[in-house]
């Protein structure tokens, strides 16, 4: 088992920035936050040159980014652009989101997400599909003309 102690950055912990602690990572999982002076002897040490360490953001509704709207560009390239744009601002996981649209757009979006996950596009963990089975009286930004009643085609 590989164990690493990360030191040398401001670390967000318990509602405060700390520079006197180390993060212990074992096999890719954070296992402890210890005083910097108490690093385990069996850990390799990775010293950062300042900066900040804080949890990544998980965004469960991402309609677009980087000048791309997912409904307009439901392709692998569109997903890559969206994920890259959000990654620059601390989003470490996201669900590209389609709003109500034709089934062909939704199907293309699902294929694009499958391709992105297969290709290992950083941060893409699935897809969020909003509609087209919504209440037309409460449609918000959705184009109510894209709404459908749930039928066999919608289930398949």
């Amino acid at each position: 088992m590989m164990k690493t102690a990360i030191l040398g950055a401001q670390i967000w912990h318990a509602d405060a920035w700390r520079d006197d602690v180390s993060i212990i990572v074992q096999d890719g999982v954070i296992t402890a936050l210890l005083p910097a002076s108490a690093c385990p002897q069996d850990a390799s040490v990775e010293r950062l040159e300042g900066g900040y360490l804080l949890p990544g953001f998980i965004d469960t509704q991402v309609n677009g980014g980087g000048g791309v709207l997912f409904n307009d560009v439901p392709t692998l390239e569109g997903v890559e652009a969206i994920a890259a744009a959000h990654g620059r601002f601390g989003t470490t996981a996201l669900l590209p989101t389609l709003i109500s649209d034709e089934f062909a757009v939704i199907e293309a979006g699902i294929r694009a997400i499958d391709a992105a996950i297969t290709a290992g596009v950083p941060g893409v963990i699935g897809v969020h599909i909003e509609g087209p089975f919504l209440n037309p009286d409460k449609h918000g930004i959705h184009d109510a003309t894209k709404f459908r009643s749930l039928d066999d085609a919608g289930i398949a």
Side-chain angles (χ1 to χ4, degrees):
M1 288 194 280
M2 181 162 185
K3 188 184 295 183
T4 304
I6 302 172
L7 301 153
Q10 295 284 319
I11 297 171
W12 184 254
H13 176 66
D15 298 328
W17 290 107
R18 308 263 315 261
D19 61 3
D20 59 344
V21 295
S22 62
I23 295 177
I24 308 303
V25 179
Q26 191 164 334
D27 295 325
V29 176
I30 296 173
T31 58
L33 188 65
L34 301 173
S37 60
C39 283
Q41 296 292 335
D42 61 340
S44 64
V45 175
E46 184 172 328
R47 292 192 185 279
L48 304 179
E49 302 295 325
Y52 299 94
L53 249 134
L54 61 153
F57 302 112
I58 300 171
D59 198 334
T60 60
Q61 182 175 344
V62 176
N63 296 102
V68 174
L69 289 174
F70 190 32
N71 278 69
D72 294 344
V73 188
T75 64
L76 173 59
E77 295 77 18
V79 173
E80 288 171 330
I82 292 166
H86 285 266
R88 287 191 294 274
F89 298 101
T91 300
T92 58
L94 58 94
L95 295 175
T97 302
L98 293 163
I99 64 169
S100 298
D101 212 319
E102 303 297 326
F103 280 157
V105 172
I106 295 169
E107 290 166 358
I110 292 169
R111 285 192 305 273
I113 295 302
D114 286 344
I117 291 170
T118 299
V121 175
V124 178
I125 59 172
V127 65
H128 175 186
I129 301 169
E130 260 189 284
F133 311 110
L134 300 174
N135 180 343
D137 294 333
K138 300 181 185 222
H139 62 85
I141 191 69
H142 294 255
D143 178 354
T145 66
K146 303 285 185 182
F147 290 0
R148 295 181 58 124
S149 296
L150 187 57
D151 57 15
D152 288 341
I155 294 171

